[in-house]
């Protein structure tokens, strides 16, 4: 008998357009791209030789490149195209992969590369944004006192802020999160207002919207970096991928309504900084400041500068928080797609979707502190920032192409569009590649490590499944009578009321032989009900369903849990619901407890058995494959399977069994009599001891 129940989670409450959704979108989606004005114009100025090298055509061309990059990459590719490739409202490269993965097995490769590079490059976001914000305080008098006068003091304050930010993650950020939207609304309004104030002195700067100036700058000798200026221009759109990834938190309609406001404010800020640069490019005092002169802060009138610095610091913290939370979500999705090891996860608040992964938090924290120590200034950080995100964008473009083909869009038209974006992003990748020698090798190394972990985890499991020899599958139906006899046999003590094995059932009734070996041979385990539970991760993000098969018994149950890739895998909670449902339907007998703190308790105790495989010396596969499996087992030492399935506080037993892969030929022993004639050809330790033979 089989029964299925469905109980899918509802989508995000802010998936429909609303004022609340608009504010939440400002607070969650645009943190990264919204803090770009802190360092983009500064990077362009320093990269071209400083303020004294600024010219009208250079400034016009720079803003024109920024505008068309935001238009082509962020607006057209991500807002108008990518946001439509949602998985039940969820976005991001892993959500996109789940939509297209059935088209070809190789699509896992761009998904892994894109996810790893997105995580790696994002580790620099908190460091560069917070450092750039605090640098604005350097030399500023507060109550006739200069609190921060040196770069070392900037570094110390940055480290304190970052450490505090990472420390509070374990307590949850629900209350802080509620303030994100209003603060970012003020931030973007401030960007727009300051831009208008500076632009009012020279409205002719609006001609920068003409693409002629962008193309001309790439050809002009006044641009001493040539096409590599695009490395700095790209910083203006680094948050586009995060915009797509965070769609599930706010809903597509709210991004559609908020992005025009955000883009206008950003553009006004860049135009305002450009107009201000044009008006002061011959100012000797500012020229003497060199790279310490940041156009963003200097262009703010002195009466508003302190407020602007405080606001930019808040925006930087919000951008960092969004990156940290996004990293947890990305790792959680990769885990549930079985391309990343399962890490211990906490849910510090009742806020839907908020989670905390200590390992990820610690790694990002250490990397951020190292980046601040190593690069010291936001200028140095921006010179190494952006390379990996271009790779992520290229991988997203590859997956988007498959999605468009899956939607049966016009093949010729689709290829033209995808090729256009692929060429643009390839140019950005080439121009950003120069950042490798300026420090991007650090984040590239991190990305390479993440890709290696994903590869080992994914293909190590596949190698096990493809090469299994002795751990073959047997039919549960063949052992129905033995299990029934064991559960009724009083000569064996009751091991537990409900004995649960987390395993995979094939064809509805076939199971790995080592499961039955654990129950019957290794130590006969007497129980009232034997449960065989399989956790299936679905392509839909919020599925929560199960099916059961009892094999016409009341003591053998196969449970198939169907959980979305964004649903918590709390197996013990779900299993108790299944037991109660089955008791209500009379499919299994009540399990009243004589000794219990719960009145009228009808559900007995549970023991979970997890089989942990160890590679056997008898394994006969290639050295390369064996190395991959060894590395996968090495990674497993640092994680607990009990935490994978939410069993931290349950009764869990881990049993180790040998894993033999490849076809093994067994040597048979021959019986010999212990006399000299039989043993004359057998040497023990090199020779036969005559005294021992006598």
């Amino acid at each position: 008998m089989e029964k299925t129940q469905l109980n899918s989670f509802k989508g995000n409450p802010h998936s429909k357009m609303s004022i609340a959704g608009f504010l939440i979108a400002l607070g969650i989606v645009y943190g990264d791209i919204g803090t770009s004005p802190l360092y983009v114009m500064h990077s362009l100025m320093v990269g071209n030789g400083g303020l004294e090298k600024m010219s009208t055509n250079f400034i016009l061309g720079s803003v024109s490149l920024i505008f068309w990059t935001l238009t082509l990459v962020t607006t057209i590719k991500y807002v108008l195209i990518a946001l439509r490739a949602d998985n039940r409202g969820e976005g991001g490269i892993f959500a996109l992969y789940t939509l297209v993965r059935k088209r070809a097995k190789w699509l896992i490769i761009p998904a892994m590369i894109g996810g790893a590079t997105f995580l790696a490059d994002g580790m620099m976001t908190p460091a560069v944004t917070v450092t750039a914000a605090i640098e604005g305080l350097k030399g500023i008098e507060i109550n006739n006192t200069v609190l921060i006068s040196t770069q070392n003091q900037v570094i110390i304050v940055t480290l304190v802020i970052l450490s505090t930010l990472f420390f509070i993650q374990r307590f949850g950020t629900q209350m802080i999160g509620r303030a994100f939207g209003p603060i970012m609304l003020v931030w973007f309004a401030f960007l727009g207002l300051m831009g208008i104030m500076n632009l009012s002195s020279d409205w002719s700067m609006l001609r920068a919207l003409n693409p002629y100036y962008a193309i001309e700058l790439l050809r002009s000798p006044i641009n001493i970096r040539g096409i590599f200026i695009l490395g700095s221009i790209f910083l203006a759109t680094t948050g586009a991928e995060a915009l797509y990834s965070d769609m599930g938190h706010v809903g597509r309609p709210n991004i559609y309504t908020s992005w025009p406001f955000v883009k206008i404010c950003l553009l006004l800020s860049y135009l305002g900084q450009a107009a201000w640069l044009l008006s002061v490019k011959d100012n000797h005092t500012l020229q003497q400041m060199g790279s310490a002169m940041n156009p963003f802060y200097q262009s703010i009138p002195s009466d508003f500068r302190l407020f602007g610095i405080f606001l930019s610091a808040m925006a930087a913290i919000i951008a960092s928080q969004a990156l940290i939370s996004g990293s947890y979500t990305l790792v959680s999705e990769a885990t549930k797609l079985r391309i990343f090891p399962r890490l211990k996860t906490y849910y510090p608040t009742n806020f839907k979707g908020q989670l905390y992964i200590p390992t990820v938090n610690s790694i990002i924290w250490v990397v951020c502190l190292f980046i601040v120590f190593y690069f010291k200034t936001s200028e140095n950080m921006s010179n190494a920032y952006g390379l990996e995100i271009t790779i992520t964008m290229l991988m997203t473009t590859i997956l988007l192409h498959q999605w468009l083909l899956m939607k049966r869009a016009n093949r010729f038209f689709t290829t033209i569009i995808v090729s256009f974006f692929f060429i643009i992003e390839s140019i950005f990748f080439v121009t950003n590649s120069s950042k490798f020698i300026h420090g991007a090798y650090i984040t590239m190394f991190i990305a390479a490590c993440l890709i290696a972990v994903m590869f080992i985890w994914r293909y190590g499991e596949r190698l096990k499944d493809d090469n299994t020899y002795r751990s073959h599958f047997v039919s549960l139906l063949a052992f129905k009578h033995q299990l029934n006899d064991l559960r009724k046999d009083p000569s064996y003590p009751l091991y537990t009321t409900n004995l649960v094995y987390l395993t995979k059932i094939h064809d509805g009734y076939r199971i790995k032989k080592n499961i039955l070996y654990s129950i019957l041979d290794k130590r006969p385990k007497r129980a009232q009900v034997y449960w065989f539970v399989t956790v299936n991760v679905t392509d839909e993000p919020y599925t929560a369903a199960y099916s059961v098969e009892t094999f016409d018994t009341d003591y053998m149950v196969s449970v198939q849990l169907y959980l979305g890739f964004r649903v918590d895998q709390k197996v013990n909670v779900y299993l108790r619901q299944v037991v109660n449902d089955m008791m209500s339907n009379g499919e299994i007998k009540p399990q009243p407890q004589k000794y219990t703190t719960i009145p009228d308790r009808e559900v007995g105790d549970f023991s979970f058995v997890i089989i942990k495989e160890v590679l056997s010396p008898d394994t006969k596969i290639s050295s390369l494959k064996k190395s991959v499996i060894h590395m996968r087992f090495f990674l497993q030492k640092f994680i607990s399977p009990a935490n994978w399935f939410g069993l931290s506080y349950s009764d869990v037993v881990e049993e180790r069994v040998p894993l033999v892969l490849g076809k093994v030929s067994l040597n048979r022993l021959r019986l010999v009599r212990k006399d000299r004639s039989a043993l004359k050809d057998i040497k023990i330790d090199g020779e036969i001891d005559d005294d021992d033979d006598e």
Side-chain angles (χ1 to χ4, degrees):
M1 170 185 179
E2 184 173 350
K3 181 186 71 171
T4 303
Q5 286 197 5
L6 299 175
N7 184 25
S8 295
F9 285 95
K10 294 182 179 180
N12 190 285
H14 302 294
S15 59
K16 294 183 179 180
M17 187 172 60
S18 64
I19 295 177
F22 178 89
L23 287 174
I24 291 173
L26 293 181
I28 294 178
V29 175
Y30 303 110
D32 192 0
I33 202 169
T35 51
S36 295
L38 293 175
Y39 46 79
V40 171
M41 294 301 292
H42 180 257
S43 176
L44 288 165
M45 180 194 72
V46 173
N48 205 59
L51 183 61
E52 60 272 18
K53 298 290 184 179
M54 294 289 98
S55 66
T56 301
N57 287 337
F58 179 85
I59 295 172
L60 282 170
S62 296
V63 177
S64 185
L65 283 169
I66 291 172
F67 170 72
W68 286 104
T69 297
L70 286 172
T71 299
L72 294 175
V73 177
T74 311
T75 303
I76 296 179
K77 177 190 171 182
Y78 281 97
V79 176
L80 297 182
I81 298 177
L83 289 186
R84 293 187 172 276
D86 68 297
N87 189 347
R88 299 290 182 91
E90 295 296 330
I93 194 162
F94 288 140
L96 180 58
Y97 164 69
T98 59
L99 291 174
V100 301
R101 61 178 174 177
K102 293 181 180 179
R103 289 185 58 83
K105 292 182 179 180
W106 63 267
L107 292 175
I108 186 63
I109 297 175
M112 289 194 300
I113 294 174
T117 50
F118 181 69
L119 275 173
D121 199 72
M123 289 182 183
M124 190 174 278
T125 298
V128 67
T129 53
V130 175
T131 303
I134 302 304
E135 282 177 345
L137 283 171
K138 191 164 64 172
I140 299 294
E141 288 189 1
I142 301 177
N143 293 330
N144 298 320
T145 303
V146 178
L147 299 179
I148 299 177
S149 57
T150 66
Q151 191 62 29
N152 285 337
Q153 291 175 330
V154 170
I155 292 173
I156 292 172
V157 173
T158 300
L159 295 178
V160 171
I161 291 175
L162 288 175
S163 297
T164 303
L165 184 62
F166 282 100
F167 176 76
I168 65 173
Q169 298 301 314
R170 69 192 66 193
F171 305 110
T173 54
Q174 183 174 356
M175 293 188 65
I176 299 175
R178 290 174 180 171
F180 282 3
I183 292 174
M184 291 303 288
L185 176 64
V186 175
W187 167 249
F188 285 116
F190 180 79
L191 290 179
L193 180 62
M194 291 299 103
I196 291 173
M197 289 179 63
N198 287 302
L199 190 59
S200 61
S201 63
D202 185 8
W203 290 102
S204 67
M205 189 56 63
L206 289 173
R207 56 193 164 137
L209 304 185
N210 188 335
Y212 165 80
Y213 294 101
I215 298 171
E216 190 63 26
L217 180 61
L218 295 175
R219 300 167 48 194
S220 174
I222 63 174
N223 170 23
I224 63 176
R225 296 168 64 191
I227 196 173
F228 289 96
I229 192 177
L230 294 176
S232 295
I233 296 296
F234 186 75
L235 295 175
T237 191
T238 52
E241 189 71 34
L243 180 151
Y244 178 40
S245 297
D246 290 329
M247 175 172 59
H249 295 289
V250 299
R252 184 196 306 145
N254 290 308
I255 295 180
Y256 282 163
T257 54
S258 58
W259 170 241
F261 168 73
V262 171
K263 184 180 179 181
I264 290 172
C265 292
L266 290 174
L267 185 59
L268 287 172
S269 178
Y270 290 124
L271 286 168
Q273 290 183 57
W276 180 84
L277 280 171
L278 194 59
S279 67
V280 301
K281 61 185 179 65
D282 297 321
N283 187 305
H284 183 70
T285 302
L286 292 175
Q287 289 178 356
Q288 290 295 107
M289 293 177 64
S291 62
M293 197 279 288
N294 189 322
F296 175 79
Y297 293 114
Q298 294 296 328
S299 65
I300 300 175
S302 57
D303 292 341
F304 301 101
R305 191 167 299 163
L306 186 60
F307 175 73
I309 293 170
F310 171 77
L311 200 55
S312 65
M314 292 299 297
I317 292 172
I318 290 172
S320 302
Q321 177 60 54
L323 176 277
I324 297 167
S325 301
S327 298
Y328 298 153
T329 302
L330 198 67
V331 171
S332 178
E333 290 178 5
T335 294
K336 291 166 185 174
L337 289 172
R338 303 176 74 177
I339 58 177
F340 203 79
R342 298 175 186 266
L343 303 174
K344 192 169 187 177
T345 303
Y346 295 96
Y347 300 87
T349 70
N350 293 325
F351 188 68
K352 187 178 185 300
Q354 187 169 110
L355 61 156
Y356 168 63
I357 305 178
T359 303
V360 175
N361 190 71
S362 299
I363 291 174
I364 299 178
W365 174 58
V366 171
V367 171
C368 283
L369 296 192
F370 172 77
I371 287 172
V372 174
F373 270 120
Y374 185 81
F375 291 101
K376 300 187 184 303
T377 67
S378 62
E379 175 191 346
N380 294 335
M381 294 177 200
S382 62
N383 289 336
Y385 186 38
L387 174 58
E388 285 75 17
I389 206 66
T390 61
I391 300 175
T392 305
M393 288 182 172
L394 283 168
M395 298 303 105
T396 299
T397 299
I398 292 172
L399 296 176
L400 272 177
H401 183 222
Q402 295 296 319
W403 178 78
L404 288 170
L405 293 177
M406 186 182 72
K407 290 294 182 180
R408 298 182 180 179
N410 183 283
R411 193 176 190 89
F412 175 78
F413 187 62
T414 296
T415 302
I416 293 295
I417 293 177
V418 171
S419 298
F420 174 73
F421 287 117
F422 196 85
I423 291 171
I424 290 178
E425 289 163 356
S426 296
I427 293 172
F428 277 124
F429 172 71
V430 171
T431 56
N432 275 280
S433 61
S434 62
K435 295 183 177 183
F436 184 84
I437 60 175
H438 294 293
Y441 55 82
I442 295 174
T443 45
M444 282 293 286
F445 173 76
I446 295 172
C449 291
L450 291 171
I451 292 171
V453 170
M454 290 180 182
F455 174 83
I456 291 168
W457 196 255
R458 171 82 175 188
Y459 290 99
E461 182 179 26
R462 176 167 293 182
L463 287 173
K464 287 198 309 175
D465 293 340
D466 292 345
N467 293 278
T468 300
Y469 173 58
R470 286 190 180 174
S471 297
H472 56 279
F473 292 89
V474 296
S475 171
L476 271 173
L477 303 177
F479 293 88
K480 283 175 63 174
H481 297 300
Q482 284 200 53
L483 291 176
N484 189 35
D485 292 341
L486 175 59
R487 77 185 185 98
K488 294 179 178 179
D489 192 342
S491 63
Y492 288 95
L494 185 67
Y495 187 85
T496 184
T497 305
N498 297 283
L499 185 61
V500 185
Y501 282 85
L502 296 167
T503 185
K504 190 173 184 179
I505 304 290
H506 291 261
D507 303 323
Y509 62 92
R510 297 178 62 81
I511 194 172
K512 277 189 175 182
K513 185 178 179 180
N514 55 28
I515 301 292
L516 276 305
Y517 176 84
S518 171
I519 298 175
L520 301 173
D521 297 276
K522 191 166 186 177
R523 175 189 171 187
K525 299 179 177 65
R526 181 180 164 217
Q528 289 185 21
V529 184
Y530 296 92
W531 300 83
F532 307 96
V533 180
T534 304
V535 178
N536 304 283
V537 179
T538 66
D539 289 348
E540 291 76 21
Y542 297 114
T543 301
Y546 76 88
S547 66
V548 296
E549 172 60 53
T550 60
F551 309 104
D552 296 323
T553 73
D554 60 356
Y555 58 88
M556 287 172 54
V557 185
S558 170
V559 179
Q560 298 285 330
L561 293 176
Y562 303 97
L563 305 176
F565 63 89
R566 284 203 168 180
V567 175
D568 309 335
Q569 295 186 7
K570 299 178 180 178
V571 174
N572 59 338
V573 176
Y574 300 136
L575 192 56
R576 286 189 177 274
Q577 178 194 333
V578 173
V579 174
N580 280 305
D581 289 348
M582 294 184 71
M583 286 182 179
S584 299
N585 296 327
E587 296 172 275
I588 59 174
K589 296 177 180 179
Q591 303 166 351
Q593 300 293 294
K594 184 176 181 180
Y595 303 104
T596 177
T597 59
I598 304 173
D600 302 321
R601 177 175 174 178
E602 294 293 324
V603 179
D605 58 311
F606 288 80
S607 287
F608 295 84
V609 179
I610 297 175
I611 302 296
K612 196 168 186 178
E613 296 171 321
V614 180
L615 197 61
S616 169
D618 293 330
T619 291
K620 301 296 181 183
I621 56 176
S622 69
S623 298
L624 178 60
K625 293 179 179 179
K626 189 181 293 186
S627 297
V628 171
I629 294 174
H630 270 303
M631 287 186 286
R632 191 181 194 278
F633 284 149
F634 175 76
L635 290 174
Q636 285 181 320
K637 292 181 180 179
F638 299 96
I639 52 181
S640 170
N643 293 327
W644 299 359
F645 303 108
L647 304 176
S648 301
Y649 303 103
S650 302
D651 181 23
V652 180
V653 176
E654 288 188 11
E655 290 191 351
R656 298 163 66 90
V657 298
L659 175 66
V660 183
L661 302 179
K663 190 171 183 179
V664 180
S665 57
L666 299 177
N667 294 322
R668 292 185 60 83
L669 297 175
R670 61 187 176 89
L671 177 64
V672 296
R673 297 185 181 279
K674 195 175 182 184
D675 56 42
R676 186 174 297 279
S677 61
L679 299 175
K680 65 181 180 180
D681 295 328
I682 301 177
K683 292 184 178 181
I684 302 175
D685 295 332
E687 61 179 356
I688 297 177
D689 192 327
D690 292 337
D691 293 336
D692 290 343
D693 285 342
E694 294 177 356

